[in-house]
């Protein structure tokens, strides 16, 4: 009898060896951990982050083996993982990888159980790499937000990030030292516990729910439950990925299901680093190329917000949905997705950090007033350029100010691997972003020690001291 997909993926996870991984995979795993920890630190003042902390402590108690990042609070691994997942996703500042966001779902449980289990840095790197690789492959096997039909981008009715539950469950199982058979059962259970793909409804309903597209904390809970239930002896549905008629494909309502993407070259070809993308701005990724162009104009010509008469954007072709066109900013999270608000905020050239979502800035007269001067159209070359390269985001910005029209164009946003080497965020740039997120949350000494420790993660014999440096100052 042929191996099922859960068994193949379980074997991949159980046999992953950092020593056999290409150096770019190891480096990318470290960079993802650094960026994710920074995003958690940045989220501690956000409503979503604060609610996540309180719920996580309610869930896991106020004393335990795992750090609630950015706070002096501790909880059980289950409670801390829930809190940290919500913290990472609070600012919408975290890394992007098909099927969309991945790190907020696959890393919090992994980090919490790595800390409680006192695992080595090598073991953590292996779990981080496997979690991102596995989830990326799921993203390539199913409907994607930028899929094209007859040369046009068309958003599928059901999309989302629920499939991250598999990579998350595998990684928790790995840091707990479970064998391939147990991980295969965990993956079968994870499919049965998977959240729904709610992103499509979230996009189309404004004002949007503040739990976001696929809530991070509950997905992490599901992944942890799957890993521990298998470890305790439950049997999973190991045919759940192979059965296209009644299995996981139906659970998430994907029209496209190409499971060959899950296994082709698995273990020898690591594909996630080619599309691992980092965010320089705490805003939905669809607006990053426009922000690059707009902020460049503002800086080059010294344009003040009060001088601007109009901002015109030609950008992505699939985002004419309520969540992006919403101009009713009632909650700071609304600011993370509104095209008009995002460009109005960008025109103020505030250093990218949680300051972008401070209530006094989000609801300030200068930003809200400038929103009314923003218009948006689809870039005429969007689909053609996207078909040539997955990172392409053709953009044109025009700013009317001082009786002059200033214009700028971009093909690829900062943070994405692309044919333009300048768009890739260097490790030094990610460290600078980490410092901005940690400012006021950690001491300078702990900030620098964390950066150094994460970038040298492969040398850590025990990750506990490192992760515990991400605890915030006492209140």
């Amino acid at each position: 009898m042929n191996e099922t997909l859960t068994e193949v993926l379980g074997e991949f996870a159980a046999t992953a060896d950092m020593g056999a991984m290409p150096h770019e995979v190891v480096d990318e795993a470290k960079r993802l951990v650094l960026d994710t920890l920074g995003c958690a630190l940045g989220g501690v003042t956000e409503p979503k982050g604060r609610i996540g902390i309180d719920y996580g402590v309610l869930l896991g108690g106020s004393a335990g083996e795992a750090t609630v990042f950015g706070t002096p609070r501790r909880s059980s691994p289950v409670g801390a993982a829930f809190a940290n997942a919500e913290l990472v996703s609070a600012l919408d500042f975290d890394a992007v990888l098909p099927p969309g966001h991945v790190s907020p779902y696959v890393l919090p449980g992994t980090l919490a159980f790595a800390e409680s289990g006192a695992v080595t840095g090598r073991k953590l790197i292996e779990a981080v790499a496997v979690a991102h690789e596995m989830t990326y492959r799921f993203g390539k096997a199913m409907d994607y937000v930028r899929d094209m039909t007859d040369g046009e981008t068309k958003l599928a009715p059901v999309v989302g990030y629920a499939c991250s539950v598999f990579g998350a469950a595998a990684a928790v199982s790995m840091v707990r030292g479970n064998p391939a058979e147990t991980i295969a059962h965990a993956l079968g259970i994870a499919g049965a516990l998977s959240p729904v793909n709610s992103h499509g409804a979230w996009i189309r309903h404004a004002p949007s729910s503040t739990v976001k597209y696929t809530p991070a904390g509950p997905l992490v809970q599901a992944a942890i439950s799957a890993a521990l239930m298998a470890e305790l002896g439950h049997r999973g549905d190991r045919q759940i990925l192979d059965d296209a008629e009644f299995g996981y494909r139906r659970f998430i309502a994907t029209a496209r299901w190409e499971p060959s993407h899950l296994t082709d070259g698995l273990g020898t070809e690591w594909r996630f680093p080619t599309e691992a993308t980092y965010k320089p701005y705490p805003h939905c990724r669809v607006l990053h190329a426009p922000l690059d162009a707009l902020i460049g104009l503002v800086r080059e010509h010294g344009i003040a917000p009060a001088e601007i008469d109009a901002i015109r954007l030609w950008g992505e072709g699939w985002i004419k949905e309520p969540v992006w066109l919403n101009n009713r900013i009632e909650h700071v999270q609304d600011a993370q997705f509104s095209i008009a608000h995002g460009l109005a905020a960008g025109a103020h050239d505030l250093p990218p950090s949680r300051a972008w979502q401070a209530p006094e800035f989000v609801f300030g007269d200068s930003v809200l007033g400038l929103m009314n001067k923003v218009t948006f159209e689809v870039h005429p070359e969007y689909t053609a350029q996207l078909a040539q390269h997955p990172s392409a985001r053709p953009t044109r910005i025009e700013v009317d100010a001082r009786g002059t029209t200033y214009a700028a164009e971009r093909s690829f946003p900062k943070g994405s691997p692309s044919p333009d080497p300048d768009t890739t965020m260097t490790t030094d740039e990610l460290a600078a972003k980490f410092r901005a997120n940690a400012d006021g949350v950690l001491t300078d000494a702990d900030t620098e020690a964390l950066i150094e420790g994460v970038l040298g993660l492969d040398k850590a014999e025990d990750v506990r001291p490192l992760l515990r440096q991400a605890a915030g100052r006492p209140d």
Side-chain angles (χ1 to χ4, degrees):
M1 181 177 177
N2 292 333
E3 284 187 302
T4 66
L5 288 171
T6 59
E7 290 168 335
V8 172
L9 294 172
E11 182 69 19
F12 165 62
T15 58
D17 178 7
M18 194 198 81
M21 293 177 182
H23 69 86
E24 61 266 23
V25 173
V26 175
D27 288 347
E28 208 62 59
K30 295 176 186 178
R31 282 157 51 89
L32 286 163
V33 171
L34 181 67
D35 190 66
T36 300
L37 286 173
C39 291
L41 299 175
V44 295
T45 60
E46 294 305 296
K48 181 175 172 64
R50 293 197 303 269
I51 293 169
I53 293 168
D54 291 343
Y55 187 89
V57 171
L58 180 67
L59 179 71
S62 57
E65 302 169 307
T67 302
V68 177
F69 300 136
T71 83
R73 303 171 82 171
R74 303 187 62 73
S75 189
S76 72
V78 176
F82 185 101
N84 292 334
E86 294 293 288
L87 284 167
V88 174
S89 64
L91 287 171
D92 224 72
F93 210 3
D94 53 278
V96 177
L97 181 76
H101 294 269
V102 173
S103 296
Y105 304 113
V106 303
L107 283 187
T110 310
L111 295 172
F113 279 94
E115 182 181 357
S116 67
V119 306
T120 66
R122 289 176 64 95
K123 175 58 69 178
L124 179 55
I125 287 170
E126 289 162 1
V128 170
V130 165
H132 285 86
E133 179 70 15
M134 192 179 294
T135 308
Y136 171 80
R137 286 169 172 268
F138 270 96
K140 291 298 185 179
M142 52 187 265
D143 289 340
Y144 185 50
V145 291
R146 291 182 177 85
D147 281 343
M148 287 194 286
T149 302
D150 298 327
E152 297 293 331
T153 51
K154 185 176 181 180
L155 186 64
V158 181
V159 288
Y161 313 141
C163 67
S164 300
V165 73
F166 294 101
V172 170
S173 293
M174 289 173 67
V175 296
R176 289 186 63 82
N178 291 330
E181 183 177 6
T182 302
I183 298 176
H185 283 301
L187 297 176
I189 296 169
L193 297 180
S194 170
V196 298
N197 260 350
S198 57
H199 195 179
W202 183 86
I203 287 170
R204 294 172 173 93
H205 300 159
S208 61
S209 166
T210 56
V211 302
K212 286 194 173 177
Y213 16 78
T214 300
L219 185 145
V220 171
Q221 272 188 297
I224 291 171
S225 296
L228 297 185
M229 289 169 74
E231 185 178 315
L232 292 170
H234 264 301
R235 180 174 61 204
D237 181 354
R238 288 194 281 188
Q239 299 175 63
I240 203 165
L241 297 176
D242 300 271
D243 186 347
E245 181 62 25
F246 299 107
Y248 189 69
R249 180 236 181 126
R250 290 297 185 197
F251 300 178
I252 57 170
T254 180
R256 181 168 63 89
W257 183 240
E258 300 174 7
S260 61
H261 285 288
L262 299 177
T263 56
D264 287 350
L266 186 67
T268 57
E269 296 178 19
W270 292 85
R271 299 173 179 175
F272 79 91
T274 63
E275 292 190 52
T277 294
Y278 297 88
K279 286 185 164 188
Y281 311 108
H283 197 283
C284 179
R285 184 63 176 164
V286 300
L287 207 61
H288 281 216
L291 286 169
D292 289 341
L294 174 62
I295 293 171
L297 286 175
V298 166
R299 290 177 181 174
E300 180 182 357
H301 300 286
I303 302 171
E307 296 178 301
I308 295 175
D309 297 315
I311 299 175
R312 292 180 293 277
L313 164 64
W314 289 263
E316 289 213 44
W318 65 280
I319 59 173
K320 286 203 167 185
E321 299 290 351
V323 73
W324 293 293
L325 301 183
N326 174 44
N327 285 0
R328 288 175 54 196
I329 309 301
E330 301 173 342
H331 188 284
V332 292
Q333 187 173 294
D334 296 333
Q336 297 175 8
F337 304 95
S338 167
I339 292 173
H341 193 282
L343 291 176
H348 287 72
D349 196 16
L350 195 67
S353 69
R354 61 184 174 277
W356 274 47
Q357 289 167 43
E360 61 271 22
F361 181 67
V362 169
F363 301 113
D365 291 341
S366 181
V367 174
L368 294 182
L370 191 52
M371 282 179 64
N372 299 322
K373 301 177 182 179
V374 175
T375 57
F376 165 69
E377 296 292 339
V378 175
H379 195 287
E381 294 297 317
Y382 174 69
T383 54
Q385 292 194 31
L386 181 63
Q388 294 177 13
H389 196 282
S391 294
R393 304 290 184 268
T395 296
R396 179 176 175 84
I397 282 280
E398 292 181 353
V399 176
D400 293 346
R402 309 167 186 158
T404 301
T405 295
Y406 303 91
E409 299 193 8
R410 294 290 188 278
S411 295
F412 301 94
K414 180 68 175 178
S416 295
S418 80
D420 179 358
D422 289 339
T423 66
T424 299
M425 281 188 80
T426 66
T427 300
D428 285 344
E429 288 171 326
L430 287 178
K433 177 184 171 182
F434 183 93
R435 293 185 184 98
N437 276 318
D439 185 38
V441 181
L442 303 183
T443 65
D444 290 345
D446 280 343
T447 296
E448 297 307 317
L450 259 173
I451 293 171
E452 181 179 356
V454 172
L455 296 180
L457 186 58
D458 52 311
K459 302 178 182 66
E461 294 299 321
D462 180 345
V463 299
R464 286 177 298 178
L466 175 65
L467 294 177
R468 289 174 183 175
Q469 283 179 312
R473 301 172 180 176
D475 295 333

